[in-house]
Amino acid sequence: MADLVYPPVIGTAIAAFRALDVRIKIEGAENIPASGGAVLVSNHISYLDFLFAGLGAFKGGKRMTRFMAKDDVFKHGISGPLMRGMKHIPVDRADGQPAYDAAVRALRAGEVVGVFPEATISRSFMLKKFKTGAARMAADSGAPLLPVILWGTQQLWTKGRPKTLTKRHVPVTIMIGKPIVLEPGDKPVMVTRRLRAAMNEMLERAQREYPGTPAGPDDTWWVPAELGGTAPTLEVAEAEDEAEAVAKAERRAAQQK
């Protein structure tokens, strides 16, 4: 089936980024495989990360990434038809096996499948713990892992901050690493550690070479605490995530009464 929705969506995003003078730098585009399945694995610091990670794959090799995303997005009146039209993969967090199976089928069919192994946005903007799903999908499908690091996207729209989608001249780094090819017998846990280490090294370089700086003392929220900014530390961010999860569970329980 031809992709009738994906190219126009990408074209619209590119036009919007150009209008806002979002200064996108793509590094490692040559690492995008020209054909065949690949598990694109990206860090997660913004609600817009799927756009930028997908743009990296599209610019690098005209590949259209099928992202795994929570099924609530597919139920929305506007985003739902777009997500289905772009053939993204809905994930039911209560039962993720159907989504996993769909992703493996897509990989075996030669698609690029996008995964955020941290599952949720990192409030600290540093790498959280990785789930092993991406490595397991690579092992089950025979597809390589394709590490991707994004930096700067958190300035546009991230968790706990107001949208600033009209902010101009924001530099955004899209860094694509060399594919990680699994060998027979590789264990998902060990592969995940190797993947995270590679992505952490990429993230540190992206942060070090990033051309943007805070506009003033009130604009340091997007800079990690480890780099002298006022973003929460990994430990504080993890506590905030746990508190949010508890609050959501309590709300669901109250609604079911």
Side-chain angles (χ1 to χ4, degrees):
M1 185 183 297
D3 276 284
L4 301 178
V5 177
Y6 215 130
V9 168
I10 289 180
T12 300
I14 291 174
F17 297 152
R18 187 177 295 122
L20 292 172
D21 190 31
V22 177
R23 298 172 181 178
I24 300 172
K25 176 186 176 183
I26 300 176
E27 179 180 326
E30 69 278 3
N31 292 321
I32 300 290
S35 61
V39 185
L40 187 155
V41 187
S42 175
N43 66 322
H44 203 7
I45 54 176
S46 164
Y47 290 110
L48 303 177
D49 287 341
F50 74 98
L51 281 176
F52 287 99
L55 178 62
F58 187 77
K59 286 277 193 178
K62 300 301 180 186
R63 304 300 304 273
M64 285 171 275
T65 306
R66 317 303 177 181
F67 282 95
M68 301 183 75
K70 59 183 181 180
D71 56 1
D72 288 350
V73 182
F74 291 78
K75 298 173 183 177
H76 191 274
I78 296 175
S79 64
L82 289 173
M83 295 294 282
R84 288 188 292 272
M86 289 185 281
K87 305 176 192 173
H88 295 314
I89 301 170
V91 179
D92 181 349
R93 292 189 176 176
D95 180 14
Q97 191 62 45
Y100 180 90
D101 293 342
V104 171
R105 286 195 300 271
L107 290 165
R108 289 174 176 167
E111 297 277 12
V112 177
V113 173
V115 179
F116 295 108
E118 299 164 280
T120 58
I121 289 174
S122 171
R123 300 173 192 261
S124 71
F125 309 126
M126 304 298 284
L127 294 184
K128 299 168 59 177
K129 295 177 182 177
F130 279 18
K131 296 183 180 296
T132 60
R136 290 188 291 111
M137 282 190 282
D140 287 346
S141 65
L145 293 163
L146 191 64
V148 173
I149 283 295
L150 305 174
W151 193 246
T153 62
Q154 73 271 34
Q155 294 191 64
L156 297 172
W157 185 17
T158 193
K159 182 178 286 189
R161 299 289 305 184
K163 297 179 189 178
T164 50
L165 299 179
T166 57
K167 187 173 182 178
R168 297 177 58 80
H169 317 306
V170 174
V172 168
T173 299
I174 303 172
M175 190 178 291
I176 304 162
K178 293 185 180 299
I180 297 175
V181 179
L182 277 63
E183 300 292 339
D186 280 349
K187 297 186 180 301
V189 171
M190 298 307 295
V191 172
T192 301
R193 289 178 183 173
R194 177 182 165 198
L195 171 67
R196 190 181 182 280
M199 291 179 62
N200 195 57
E201 185 176 324
M202 292 167 61
L203 177 60
E204 288 177 353
R205 186 160 69 84
Q207 293 169 337
R208 187 168 60 247
E209 298 176 359
Y210 186 67
T213 56
D218 295 330
D219 189 42
T220 60
W221 61 267
W222 58 269
V223 179
E226 290 86 341
L227 299 179
T230 53
T233 63
L234 272 168
E235 293 74 19
V236 170
E238 184 176 343
E240 291 176 350
D241 286 341
E242 290 176 358
E244 182 180 71
V246 169
K248 284 183 178 179
E250 290 175 347
R251 286 197 298 270
R252 283 196 297 268
Q255 290 170 356
Q256 292 172 358
K257 288 181 180 180

